[in-house]
Amino acid sequence: MLTGEGCPKTMLSIKDALDAVEGKWKLLILFTLSSGPKRFRQLAKEVSGITDKTLSKELKSLEGNRLVRREVFDTFPPTVEYSITPHGMSLGKVIEELHYWGLSHRKEIIGK
Amino acid sequence: MLTGEGCPKTMLSIKDALDAVEGKWKLLILFTLSSGPKRFRQLAKEVSGITDKTLSKELKSLEGNRLVRREVFDTFPPTVEYSITPHGMSLGKVIEELHYWGLSHRKEIIGK
């Protein structure tokens, strides 16, 4: 493990990352978008438990951090689609490690 | 990247993980403890920006998830020390990936 001994710079980059993906929804939204672009309704359904208000707020924050792209298509009525950016995809390893750790955590807490 | 296509089980383990390390402080606290056991005051100083109230709340939650161990030593006055557990150390890879990603995120957002 990286050690925390006197390295404010490492601390800063971890803070940066946590700030961008903070909360319990952003990584789940990115994970859901990793299988392809989706419309708001689809996303709201697949990220189970999220409210429309929260989803909309989180998508805006993800857009601001260039992790998600919002595209409006010139149809009638206009269609809006959300997709994950290459920068968002670069969070893949973080999400993967969280996934593996989540599996072992459940074992640890619930018992073998 | 793991893909989000129809895998509620992967979603669950990511949720589990996010639940345990949720918020912007827990991983920073664990990172700080990775260099060795610390007393409350030391921790409060090294995790810059955290308030005593939040630190105390976060430590309790980390203890509940078996990520941090609180030990009371039989001195006068009693000494309390916090250390990271092996299960907490197993978050090392997640923290490492977050660190690397935080570096690239800063470049992406602030520009080259």
Side-chain angles (χ1 to χ4, degrees):
Chain A
M1 186 169 179
L2 290 167
T3 138
E5 201 93 66
C7 186
K9 224 191 141 189
T10 307
M11 199 93 161
L12 177 68
S13 62
I14 298 174
K15 266 191 177 176
D16 277 349
L18 289 176
D19 218 59
V21 300
E22 176 254 339
K24 57 181 190 178
W25 297 113
K26 293 192 187 73
L27 288 175
L28 287 176
I29 295 170
L30 291 174
F31 175 63
T32 306
L33 286 176
S34 68
S35 63
K38 298 206 160 54
R39 299 180 59 175
F40 190 90
R41 275 287 120 240
Q42 266 177 293
L43 260 177
K45 208 178 119 194
E46 290 186 30
V47 183
S48 70
I50 199 166
T51 63
D52 284 3
K53 197 180 152 190
T54 305
L55 178 56
S56 150
K57 202 192 72 192
E58 296 293 43
L59 282 170
K60 263 181 205 131
S61 154
L62 289 167
E63 236 192 301
N65 277 310
R66 296 196 206 151
L67 299 167
V68 159
R69 189 171 161 223
R70 181 180 185 271
E71 229 176 333
V72 186
F73 292 96
D74 192 11
T75 52
F76 181 80
T79 323
V80 181
E81 226 178 53
Y82 296 90
S83 56
I84 188 168
T85 63
H87 184 47
M89 281 302 271
S90 74
L91 269 164
K93 273 199 175 172
V94 171
I95 297 181
E96 215 171 292
E97 291 301 338
L98 271 174
H99 160 61
Y100 293 129
W101 188 82
L103 289 175
S104 77
H105 179 58
R106 183 161 277 252
K107 270 200 203 125
E108 170 85 19
I109 293 300
I110 299 186
K112 283 102 211 170
Chain B
M1 187 168 179
L2 289 168
T3 136
E5 201 93 64
C7 186
K9 225 192 140 190
T10 307
M11 200 93 160
L12 178 68
S13 62
I14 299 174
K15 265 190 179 177
D16 277 348
L18 289 176
D19 219 58
V21 300
E22 177 254 337
K24 56 182 191 178
W25 297 113
K26 293 192 186 71
L27 288 175
L28 287 175
I29 295 169
L30 290 175
F31 175 63
T32 306
L33 286 176
S34 69
S35 63
K38 298 205 160 55
R39 299 180 58 176
F40 190 91
R41 275 288 119 239
Q42 265 177 294
L43 260 178
K45 206 177 121 195
E46 289 186 30
V47 183
S48 70
I50 200 166
T51 63
D52 285 2
K53 198 179 153 192
T54 305
L55 178 56
S56 152
K57 201 192 73 193
E58 296 292 43
L59 282 169
K60 264 183 203 129
S61 155
L62 289 167
E63 236 192 301
N65 277 310
R66 297 196 205 151
L67 299 167
V68 159
R69 189 170 162 224
R70 179 180 185 273
E71 228 175 334
V72 186
F73 292 95
D74 192 12
T75 52
F76 181 80
T79 323
V80 182
E81 225 177 55
Y82 296 90
S83 55
I84 189 167
T85 62
H87 184 47
M89 281 303 271
S90 73
L91 268 165
K93 273 199 176 172
V94 171
I95 297 182
E96 214 171 292
E97 291 301 338
L98 270 175
H99 159 62
Y100 293 128
W101 188 82
L103 289 175
S104 77
H105 179 58
R106 183 161 276 252
K107 269 200 204 126
E108 169 85 20
I109 294 299
I110 299 186
K112 283 102 212 170

